[in-house]
Amino acid sequence: MGSASREALSVSRAALAALGGKATLATGEQLLAAGRVLGTSFQLRAALADPSGDPSDKLSVINAVFASVEQPARELLGVIATNAWSTEDEFLAGIEEIGIRALAESASSENIEAELFAFGAAVGSDAQLELAVGSKLGSDESKAALIERLLGSKASKQTVAIVSHLVQQPRGRRIAELLRFATTVVADEAGLAVATVTTASAISPAQLTRLVSALSVSYGRGLRINHVIDPTLVGGVRVQLGDEIIDGSVASRLNELRLQLA
């Protein structure tokens, strides 16, 4: 992300925080819907993402095009649009992130990260499902309907809204990448990070608690843990936090040994 976009995103996050917890499910849904509208309209997107554009003109466009959008979402769109973004795609990414953060903020007790992770695991284990949600051939309406059938009765409204948006506007990203991004944003909004812990077999809740505590101290922030069991590891633990991987599995050590002997 360019420096201008990073600054614009920081200002946009501050604007969301300034709402003081007034962001609702509708706020997030409307922001994501606006992002999809802009994603399909080159003229609108170019006008609002143009860094040289007059801020008052941009606000006029937003108030005209998104007149039916509730005030909190429209105000956030105004902040996002009147800041300078490095590219049009990063402008859309900014709307997407603020929309996801608003949805995360609107949730009370729902563990959106766990629901996103579970859906990602289901998609990753089913090639036909992955094709269905990631295909470029299906219409946005059919993809949204599919997500509603798959998650409507099993996940929070926030999670359904996030996944539905992601499959409708992937912007060149695969479904696994989309879900990892959304999970990271949701956790960050709560002041946390997400770590995926993979072991060869099940571990006790006490062991998992000790591992979480040690990792939290190491990384200096609270963690949400997604636990995966993978017998191919043979033993040990593999931890992934963002792009960082700590691989202490037996399989990894055996592979290193084989490479040394070769």
Side-chain angles (χ1 to χ4, degrees):
M1 181 172 280
S3 58
S5 293
R6 287 195 295 272
E7 176 61 28
L9 185 57
S10 177
V11 173
S12 302
R13 288 173 179 169
L16 175 61
L19 289 179
K22 295 179 181 178
T24 64
L25 174 67
T27 305
E29 290 178 324
Q30 290 171 356
L31 282 170
L32 295 181
R36 294 194 296 275
V37 169
L38 294 171
T40 58
S41 173
F42 171 78
Q43 186 176 7
L44 271 177
R45 188 170 67 252
L48 294 178
D50 182 2
S52 64
D54 184 87
S56 60
D57 290 341
K58 292 182 178 183
L59 288 176
S60 296
V61 170
I62 287 172
N63 288 327
V65 175
F66 300 107
S68 61
V69 171
E70 294 178 4
Q71 185 176 355
R74 196 164 63 250
E75 286 181 359
L76 288 169
L77 277 173
V79 172
I80 295 168
T82 53
N83 276 274
W85 297 82
S86 302
T87 66
E88 290 182 15
D89 190 65
E90 290 180 359
F91 167 65
L92 290 178
I95 297 175
E96 180 176 271
E97 178 171 328
I98 299 304
I100 292 174
R101 287 181 180 275
L103 286 169
E105 187 176 301
S106 74
S108 53
S109 59
E110 294 86 351
N111 190 346
I112 302 174
E113 305 100 299
E115 293 174 345
L116 290 171
F117 179 78
F119 182 72
V123 171
S125 63
D126 188 327
Q128 288 187 328
L129 178 57
E130 183 173 8
L131 180 62
V133 298
S135 173
K136 297 179 180 179
L137 301 178
S139 68
D140 287 348
E141 292 75 15
S142 64
K143 290 181 181 180
L146 174 61
I147 297 304
E148 181 61 36
R149 289 199 301 273
L150 292 171
L151 292 177
S153 61
K154 300 176 182 178
S156 65
K157 292 181 179 180
Q158 287 83 357
T159 297
V160 174
I162 291 170
V163 177
S164 179
H165 166 78
L166 293 176
V167 299
Q168 290 181 75
Q169 193 179 69
R171 302 197 336 272
R173 299 165 295 175
R174 295 179 65 85
I175 186 65
E177 179 186 356
L178 291 166
L179 293 171
R180 281 196 301 271
F181 164 75
T183 302
T184 300
V185 171
V186 170
D188 186 67
E189 183 63 22
L192 303 169
V194 176
T196 299
V197 174
T198 306
T199 58
S201 58
I203 60 177
S204 70
Q207 288 175 309
L208 190 58
T209 298
R210 289 196 297 271
L211 180 59
V212 171
S213 178
L215 289 171
S216 296
V217 171
S218 177
Y219 287 98
R221 66 187 310 186
L223 295 177
R224 296 273 198 207
I225 295 294
N226 293 318
H227 183 207
V228 177
I229 298 175
D230 181 2
T232 64
L233 293 186
V234 184
V237 179
R238 183 179 186 270
V239 178
Q240 180 170 0
L241 182 61
D243 295 328
E244 185 175 353
I245 297 175
I246 304 171
D247 197 341
S249 66
V250 172
S252 175
R253 292 197 292 271
L254 289 174
N255 187 54
E256 290 175 1
L257 180 59
R258 279 194 294 268
L259 290 175
Q260 292 172 9
L261 293 175

